[in-house]
Amino acid sequence: MILIFRREVTEQEIQEVLRKIESLGYTPHLSRGTVKTICGVTGDDRAISQSEFDQLPGVESVLRVLKPYKLASREFHPDPTRIEVGGVGIGPGTFAVIAGPCSVESEEQVESIASLLGRLGLKLIRGGAFKPRSSPYSFQGMGEQGLQILHAAARRHGLTIVTEVLSEYDVDLVGRYAGVFQVGARNMQNFALLKALGETRTPVLLKRSMMGTIEEMLLSAEYVIKGGNPRVILCERGIRTFETEMRNTLDIGAVPVAKRLSHLPILVDPSHAMGDWHYVPAVSLAAIAAGADGLLVEIHPDPVHAKSDGKQSLNFTRFEELLARLRALAPHLDVEVR
Ligand code: PEP
Ligand code: MN
């Protein structure tokens, strides 16, 4: 349920309403917007009657939220959310480019990527140290040693780390290095992990699963926010369809849909969507044009010899070309590439 306050509501009236909500055993979520102040009410609200609230001083109207997710919804939070990560505000006005290898492989590999990002004025580096691989025989990542390699290179070049956490048992360890926890597609509905991340205050990059609906993605975001961590960034990375020419099918339409349904920022991952670097620039340009808040893109100094996802990784020259094209387009779309 959402309570909308009158424009001239006093602070005292607001506090009174918050107390009333709590006394009934529900949780209030106050949101002071640019135009109006509203208050979301969560809990099992089927039992509460609307009339209990619309009589309260200061309340203009009461709406029932029909969506199953509340805190992630636009209704609860009409203004788009901006999430600060390493000096980059992911949200309105910014197109954030998070680039790096699929997996951390060596100090030299990460150093070459980090120094490229630094030279290009980018602030966010991706790279997996704990890798979710379809086959147990594939490279599983370097683990904590990989995180240390990322950390050292990130420090040298003023970067913030975006890295995957596979399990709730690893949240503390990965959290010592990560500026953003990445939740992989295969873990979008790992509710134990989502709850553990809700207890942290580190931003969470939540990837849509290959068979997840937009609503399911927003419900997963709801787990993290409900747990107490409002810093959730969504990511569309392609879904599984009947098409076999591409690794996945990029659901570009999910970008405007998620932005209408939710206040959370949404990135596009063109690499896992397409599975082949040839297509990465085209869909990256589609992402900025569709209003995405940024990219999560795989790059590698020597893609042919990458330990994972080399086929879909851009080499440095191709990445620089893409970045130049994004920067050329950005002013026409009222965003800045960061
Ligand atoms: C990744 O970003 O490296 C990754 C494993 O992606 P996804 O979870 O989307 O498959
Ligand atoms: Mn990958």
Side-chain angles (χ1 to χ4, degrees):
M1 204 150 70
I2 295 176
L3 313 184
I4 298 158
F5 290 106
R6 283 187 292 111
R7 220 177 261 275
E8 54 293 354
V9 66
T10 67
E11 189 56 36
Q12 198 186 336
E13 286 168 335
I14 292 176
Q15 294 307 323
E16 211 170 293
V17 170
L18 297 184
R19 272 196 297 277
K20 171 84 179 173
I21 295 168
E22 282 169 342
S23 74
L24 291 167
Y26 302 105
T27 311
H29 305 267
L30 194 63
S31 164
R32 295 176 198 266
T34 39
V35 184
K36 288 209 163 168
T37 295
I38 67 173
C39 183
V41 182
T42 55
D44 183 4
D45 64 1
R46 282 167 304 183
I48 347 175
S49 86
Q50 211 150 316
S51 57
E52 271 202 87
F53 293 99
D54 56 16
Q55 303 300 327
L56 291 175
V59 174
E60 182 180 88
S61 55
V62 179
L63 292 177
R64 247 180 215 290
V65 182
L66 297 172
K67 301 274 184 323
Y69 46 88
K70 318 279 177 195
L71 305 172
S73 75
R74 272 275 177 186
E75 287 144 303
F76 256 48
H77 195 296
D79 293 329
T81 287
R82 169 192 308 280
I83 297 172
E84 294 295 332
V85 180
V88 178
I90 300 181
T94 296
F95 188 77
V97 176
I98 307 172
C102 177
S103 319
V104 173
E105 298 170 11
S106 68
E107 255 170 56
E108 302 70 50
Q109 175 227 25
V110 174
E111 171 56 27
S112 71
I113 291 170
S115 83
L116 174 76
L117 299 182
R119 185 162 64 71
L120 295 174
L122 296 174
K123 296 278 174 229
L124 307 172
I125 186 168
R126 61 149 288 148
F130 292 90
K131 294 302 301 178
R133 303 305 302 279
S134 299
S135 163
Y137 302 110
S138 300
F139 176 57
Q140 302 287 309
M142 292 182 77
E144 185 168 13
Q145 195 195 348
L147 295 174
Q148 286 165 349
I149 290 175
L150 272 173
H151 181 74
R155 257 216 350 220
R156 283 192 291 273
H157 299 282
L159 307 175
T160 294
I161 297 167
V162 179
T163 196
E164 180 155 359
V165 58
L166 281 181
S167 144
E168 67 272 29
Y169 304 111
D170 295 336
V171 169
D172 286 341
L173 170 66
V174 177
R176 291 202 278 278
Y177 302 89
V180 176
F181 284 118
Q182 179 173 320
V183 174
R186 290 155 191 81
N187 263 325
M188 187 192 85
Q189 291 190 312
N190 179 341
F191 302 117
L193 176 60
L194 298 175
K195 284 179 185 172
L197 294 172
E199 287 172 22
T200 75
R201 294 298 172 266
T202 301
V204 173
L205 174 58
L206 176 67
K207 300 188 85 173
R208 181 180 179 187
S209 82
M210 52 274 268
M211 67 299 184
T213 64
I214 296 169
E215 183 170 290
E216 285 163 342
M217 172 169 65
L218 294 174
L219 282 166
S220 292
E222 188 83 5
Y223 266 92
V224 180
I225 306 174
K226 178 175 182 290
N229 184 357
R231 300 185 180 86
V232 181
I233 303 157
L234 307 170
C235 181
E236 166 59 45
R237 47 77 75 203
I239 52 177
R240 192 166 274 185
T241 68
F242 52 81
E243 181 54 66
T244 55
E245 288 295 334
M246 299 164 282
R247 183 172 178 181
N248 290 286
T249 298
L250 179 64
D251 183 7
I252 195 74
V255 173
V257 172
K259 288 182 90 71
R260 181 153 173 246
L261 296 174
S262 175
H263 55 90
L264 299 172
I266 181 165
L267 309 181
V268 164
D269 172 347
S271 312
H272 293 86
M274 304 307 291
D276 185 325
W277 67 265
H278 288 90
Y279 308 122
V280 166
V283 295
S284 300
L285 297 173
I288 194 172
D293 296 291
L295 285 187
L296 179 73
V297 58
E298 287 182 343
I299 65 173
H300 197 284
D302 180 13
V304 176
H305 296 106
K307 287 197 177 166
S308 59
D309 287 350
K311 185 171 168 231
Q312 68 193 32
S313 299
L314 293 174
N315 66 22
F316 289 2
T317 311
R318 295 188 179 112
F319 176 61
E320 282 192 59
E321 278 165 15
L322 169 60
L323 192 65
R325 294 177 76 187
L326 291 168
R327 284 184 164 145
L329 258 180
H332 302 284
L333 298 163
D334 295 325
V335 292
E336 198 187 332
V337 175
R338 302 285 317 272

